[in-house]
Amino acid sequence: MAAYALPALYAVLVWWFSTGLILLLDHRPRATHAASMVAGTAVLALALWAIGASAGDASAGGAYTAFTAALLVWGWQEMSYYMGFVSGPRTLGCPPGARGFARFRAAAATSLWHEAAIVAGGLAIVALTWRQPNLFALWTYLVLWGMNLSARLNLFLGVRNLNAEFLPEHLAYLGSYLRVRAMNPLFPISVMAAGLATGALVLAALGEGLTAHDVAGLSILATLMALATLEHGFLMLPLPSAALWQWSLPKLSPPRPLASPIPATRSDIEGH
């Protein structure tokens, strides 16, 4: 049992602490962001080196190293976006009256360079792990990328909880692209897909004839998928998700309102 419990616990602790650390740094005064990004970029270089160095390590330790390094690469992507260094060509709120594809295009422009950086990071990991036995850095990065994209699309389409306290003040304009709704068509699909993926990874981790490397890596991925599914639940369920990172947020209550989110209509509230 320890072979499964220890990787799962490690994934939870690293996910919780790394998320809180990024929130803490993002909410510090703007004058500190440049120094944080310099330090973060140094960590990024170290993480990429660790991914390449561990790519041939098919041990349990190699799986832990690959997961941790991929999480650090992803952390750099999040820091660079939320600190405003790598975002997009548009840094303004949603144009008044924009609907449909026009609204989507404007929203996409706020994170275009960020998405390009994510692709570049993924390609770098592919190159570092090409034809190597330890691919858990790549799988970790892909899980984070996919679930992050799903969450962003759901926020755009409309969710109950916008989690305003997670956004730094300089990104308050992003609120104008979000919508408060009781439900959106993508959300059930997202949760179902994430749940199925989590179940598949759990079954894979419990399979026979696996090495310690496989058990550790698959257990970590299953836990990460479960956490991503939980984060999706926070978007709709009345759960105090911000309380998980109270130590890293400057103000937990009352939350700071976003800049003019699109309100729910009567049909949204009634679920029609």
Side-chain angles (χ1 to χ4, degrees), residues 175-258:
S176 63
Y177 297 94
L178 308 181
R179 173 174 291 167
V180 177
R181 295 182 65 183
M183 183 55 64
N184 72 71
L186 178 62
F187 185 78
I189 298 173
S190 297
V191 173
M192 183 180 298
L196 290 174
T198 301
L201 287 168
V202 169
L203 291 176
L206 295 174
E208 297 181 358
L210 298 180
T211 65
H213 169 75
D214 295 330
V215 170
L218 290 170
S219 298
I220 287 173
L221 287 180
T223 305
L224 187 62
M225 277 299 309
L227 291 171
T229 306
L230 177 64
E231 285 188 306
H232 274 59
F234 289 154
L235 297 177
M236 289 294 187
L237 299 176
L239 299 173
S241 58
L244 291 173
W245 296 282
Q246 182 175 0
W247 58 275
S248 65
L249 293 170
K251 293 180 181 179
L252 179 61
S253 180
R256 175 176 49 80
L258 290 171

